[in-house]
Amino acid sequence: MGRYIVRRLLYLIVVLLVVSIITFGLMHAVPGGPFSREKALPEETIKVLNARYHLDDPLYLQYLHYVNNVMIPHLTTVPPTNSLMDDYLVSVKIGPVWFRWMNFGPSYKSRSRTVNDIFRDNLPISAQLGTMALLVALVIGMPLGIMAALKQNTILDYFGMSVAIFGVSVPVIVLGPLLVWIFGVSLKWLPPTGWGAKPPYAFGFLPSKLGWDFFKFAIMPSIALGLGSSAVIARLTRASLLQTIREDYIRTARAKGLKERIIIVRHALKNSLIPVVTILGPLFAALVTGTFVTETIFGIPGMGKYFVTSITNRDYPVIMGTILLYAVFLVIANLVVDIVYAYLDPRIRYD
């Protein structure tokens, strides 16, 4: 297992290289540039800005410069400085040596901030929202799917699948304002906008205090964002569990006189979770890196807003940084899924 994990982490570098090449090429293929304005800047100013950010170099040199700063880890004995060009997302001191990785550079739009500054300020909020939404999806989706499978073609089955169809059919752009209108404006039970957690954060993204001041802001956006995912989980859990409880080994367990609860929990449910766990990796990465619609509706200062505006502003460092960070989350989440596979199915071996 250890060698498999190391091998997969090495694949992460390959994945980042491929993603960066595709993103870099598509980004520069779009007409316009980061300093294009409706009212054109003076030509001398554009030349100075292009020279400052190396945008006047050939594309292959720009990419190689980017790879050197972002992809390749740097080992140095020089301590970090406060320079915009010397800001690394990972900066760890190992003895006398500093291990530093991922310098995405300054943002072209917010020139006094680096991309890593934006990540430090806004990514923890998106991660909190995404984690809460994933918990909502699991808490709603899995019980509904299990109940629908065990009570197939009954009113409980129809109820569970009705909730799932509602979650799939009603997008966040409809459900979010509806929740705000009912619980935030009419009943005034919950604050309609904002986010309760403030820095500093434990472990980089967890709220330092988990109390009502945090949850009263998180309830509505988490439900709005997690309900659609819960519908997918419910439908997949139902289909997988229905197939599993019809297998021969389940009939054998019943014939031996095992209690139905033990059969379902120990045998059927554990094996039926493999397809569900498969989608949790990409789902977790997508939720954690930010959702623009949800954050806009509820006024949450997450990463979604910065990513969308960076595309319209041609803010190349923010675009590249957000996509590469999403790729890192996706690879690590899929690695965790593969490790969980080995626990759910003892026949799976990675050595």
Side-chain angles (χ1 to χ4, degrees):
M1 179 67 77
R3 286 182 296 176
Y4 174 77
I5 294 175
V6 172
R7 190 165 63 248
R8 286 290 298 271
L9 291 177
L10 293 177
Y11 287 161
L12 172 62
I13 304 298
V14 179
V15 171
L16 291 180
L17 283 172
V18 174
V19 171
S20 66
I21 291 173
I22 296 173
T23 306
F24 190 85
L26 293 175
M27 190 172 60
H28 285 83
V30 177
F35 307 116
S36 300
R37 300 288 188 274
E38 185 176 351
K39 182 179 180 180
L41 294 174
E43 187 175 348
E44 293 183 357
T45 303
I46 294 178
K47 287 183 179 180
V48 171
L49 291 172
N50 287 337
R52 178 184 179 185
Y53 297 112
H54 305 284
L55 295 178
D56 52 355
D57 293 341
L59 283 181
Y60 75 92
L61 287 180
Q62 293 183 42
Y63 179 74
L64 291 178
H65 178 75
Y66 189 82
V67 167
N68 179 61
N69 286 340
V70 176
M71 306 292 181
I72 301 176
H74 293 265
L75 298 176
T76 179
T77 56
V78 180
T81 65
N82 295 325
S83 171
L84 290 177
M85 301 298 181
D86 191 40
D87 184 19
Y88 288 81
L89 192 61
V90 179
S91 185
V92 181
K93 189 175 183 181
I94 306 174
V97 179
W98 285 88
F99 174 83
R100 312 181 72 190
W101 189 41
M102 285 194 171
N103 179 6
F104 293 109
S107 167
Y108 294 162
K109 184 66 175 178
S110 306
R111 297 172 195 170
S112 61
R113 302 175 69 199
T114 65
V115 178
N116 290 337
D117 286 334
I118 296 174
F119 287 161
R120 294 187 189 101
D121 293 341
N122 303 98
L123 185 61
I125 297 176
S126 293
Q128 294 163 18
L129 173 61
T131 303
M132 293 285 293
L134 184 62
L135 291 175
V136 169
L138 291 173
V139 168
I140 296 177
M142 289 195 63
L144 283 179
I146 295 171
M147 178 184 67
L150 298 181
K151 304 295 183 181
Q152 187 183 13
N153 297 329
T154 65
I155 190 172
L156 294 177
D157 184 12
Y158 300 146
F159 170 76
M161 289 303 98
S162 297
V163 174
I165 293 173
F166 176 82
V168 171
S169 304
V170 181
V172 177
I173 200 171
V174 175
L175 183 60
L178 188 63
L179 292 176
V180 170
W181 176 64
I182 295 175
F183 297 102
V185 177
S186 299
L187 299 177
K188 297 183 179 180
W189 290 353
L190 299 169
T193 58
W195 194 252
K198 301 292 187 296
Y201 302 113
F203 303 104
F205 78 98
L206 292 177
S208 55
K209 293 182 179 180
L210 284 175
W212 176 242
D213 288 338
F214 170 73
F215 286 109
K216 69 180 180 182
F217 287 96
I219 290 174
M220 286 197 296
S222 300
I223 291 176
L225 183 58
L227 189 61
S229 301
S230 70
V232 176
I233 292 174
R235 292 169 65 88
L236 191 57
T237 302
R238 178 183 183 274
S240 180
L241 187 56
L242 279 175
Q243 181 181 358
T244 303
I245 60 179
R246 291 180 171 85
E247 296 289 341
D248 291 339
Y249 67 89
I250 298 296
R251 296 192 185 98
T252 303
R254 287 183 175 133
K256 288 182 176 180
L258 290 178
K259 294 182 179 179
E260 188 69 15
R261 179 178 59 83
I262 295 177
I263 294 173
I264 297 299
V265 174
R266 289 189 181 179
H267 302 287
L269 185 58
K270 186 177 180 180
N271 291 328
S272 65
L273 284 180
I274 292 179
V276 179
V277 170
T278 303
I279 68 168
L280 291 183
L283 185 63
F284 174 76
L287 293 176
V288 165
T289 49
T291 303
F292 171 71
V293 175
T294 306
E295 293 176 356
T296 301
I297 291 173
F298 292 96
I300 300 173
M303 277 302 303
K305 177 186 68 175
Y306 279 94
F307 179 59
V308 174
T309 55
S310 69
I311 296 174
T312 58
N313 293 328
R314 306 290 195 275
D315 198 343
Y316 296 157
V318 178
I319 297 173
M320 291 288 292
T322 306
I323 292 178
L324 291 180
L325 204 61
Y326 175 78
V328 170
F329 275 111
L330 188 59
V331 171
I332 293 177
N334 284 332
L335 173 60
V336 174
V337 167
D338 290 342
I339 294 173
V340 175
Y341 279 165
Y343 167 74
L344 294 175
D345 190 346
R347 296 171 296 178
I348 297 176
R349 292 288 184 269
Y350 295 115
D351 293 331

